[in-house]
Amino acid sequence: MTTKNPVIELKGIRKIYRQDGGAGTWALRGIDLTLASGDFLAIMGASGSGKSTLMHIIGLLDSSFEGKYHLNDQDVRKLKGGKLSEIRGKEIGFVFQQFNLLPRTTVMQNVLMPTTYHPGHDDETRALKMIKKVGLIEKISSRTNQLSGGQVQRVAIARAIMMNPSILLADEPTGNLDSSTAKEIMGLLAEINRQGTTIVLITHEEDIAAYAKKIIRLRDGRVEGGKK
């Protein structure tokens, strides 16, 4: 029986923030992490534990780290400039606490945003499918400032999966939502995961982390806890 190569493989990831004339502050102190296709990982930890730094490295937003990182069999440390941006745009979707949508634009315009750099002949058809998947087909022409917080986050999720990424990174995606809406959003993410997308979630809430298949806890830049 053949074993699939991991989607994400981190070995000995270390990150230090240096200040002029200072010794620097360690954010990550040797992180090892392997995720297979279809995994759903929650990363937990107090403020300053290193979880956001780890998310930025996984999301190819920070390349100044020590250690090895393979993403879908590619050595991230060997990717430069445009190639790094290309891989990030195609392989990784992002969902943030602050939504980060284009203001005063329609749902369709926001979901189409990733295609600006990777246009295709069926972009609008795919965008329509993503909007339908997150349950907002009746809001397709609505502007984002006309939507509720939960609806705005659904738009952000539709945008994140527009390019059919292999990995979805969600940084405190329910942080600005009430408990009922948070439950709806996590149910949607769980469904996307069941359809095969690997998800990495940052949260400080135990009930939100409970949706994940695996949980790691960071403390002072090191993995403290194990699996769910």
Side-chain angles (χ1 to χ4, degrees):
M1 183 177 69
T2 58
T3 302
K4 291 184 178 179
N5 290 327
V7 175
I8 294 172
E9 187 173 21
L10 307 178
K11 290 185 177 180
I13 298 297
R14 292 156 58 91
K15 169 74 178 183
I16 188 170
Y17 291 104
R18 298 189 183 278
Q19 297 179 348
D20 293 340
T25 301
W26 284 100
L28 298 174
R29 301 169 181 263
I31 301 295
D32 296 333
L33 176 65
T34 301
L35 293 180
S37 178
D39 271 348
F40 190 159
L41 172 71
I43 302 173
M44 303 190 73
S47 178
S49 62
K51 58 186 187 296
S52 292
T53 299
L54 181 57
M55 177 71 85
H56 286 162
I57 289 173
I58 293 173
L60 306 183
L61 298 172
D62 185 348
S63 58
S64 60
F65 60 88
E66 299 175 16
K68 296 180 179 180
Y69 177 14
H70 284 81
L71 173 64
N72 285 325
D73 255 355
Q74 298 183 86
D75 186 345
V76 167
R77 299 301 298 271
K78 295 181 179 179
L79 301 176
K80 303 294 182 182
K83 185 63 176 178
L84 194 65
S85 298
E86 179 184 349
I87 296 297
R88 182 172 58 241
K90 291 183 177 180
E91 298 290 345
I92 304 173
F94 296 89
V95 180
F96 300 100
Q97 179 178 348
Q98 301 297 334
F99 311 135
N100 292 353
L101 299 186
L102 296 172
R104 296 181 296 280
T105 53
T106 67
V107 169
M108 174 62 90
Q109 287 170 326
N110 272 281
V111 175
L112 281 170
M113 190 170 67
T115 68
T116 302
Y117 303 102
H118 304 285
H121 69 279
D122 60 344
D123 288 344
E124 290 196 8
T125 299
R126 289 192 296 114
L128 192 65
K129 182 179 179 181
M130 296 304 106
I131 294 168
K132 185 176 182 179
K133 179 178 286 191
V134 300
L136 286 179
I137 196 67
E138 77 283 358
K139 299 290 186 180
I140 191 169
S141 298
S142 297
R143 298 185 183 277
T144 54
N145 59 357
Q146 298 172 321
L147 304 178
S148 68
Q151 290 171 333
V152 169
Q153 192 60 295
R154 286 175 178 269
V155 176
I157 292 171
R159 180 186 62 187
I161 61 177
M162 175 65 187
M163 303 304 292
N164 192 30
S166 57
I167 303 163
L168 183 63
L169 303 184
D171 191 354
E172 299 281 6
T174 62
N176 288 333
L177 305 176
D178 61 72
S179 58
S180 177
T181 306
K183 185 176 180 180
E184 293 177 4
I185 293 301
M186 290 310 302
L188 175 58
L189 290 178
E191 177 59 29
I192 291 170
N193 174 249
R194 283 192 290 271
Q195 294 172 2
T197 303
T198 303
I199 296 181
V200 179
L201 165 75
I202 282 185
T203 184
H204 63 277
E205 301 177 74
E206 294 287 349
D207 59 332
I208 297 301
Y211 284 85
K213 298 172 182 175
K214 300 177 180 178
I215 298 174
I216 63 171
R217 303 173 194 275
L218 299 185
R219 182 183 178 91
D220 297 330
R222 295 185 175 94
V223 175
E224 181 182 49
K227 298 180 180 180
K228 179 180 170 184

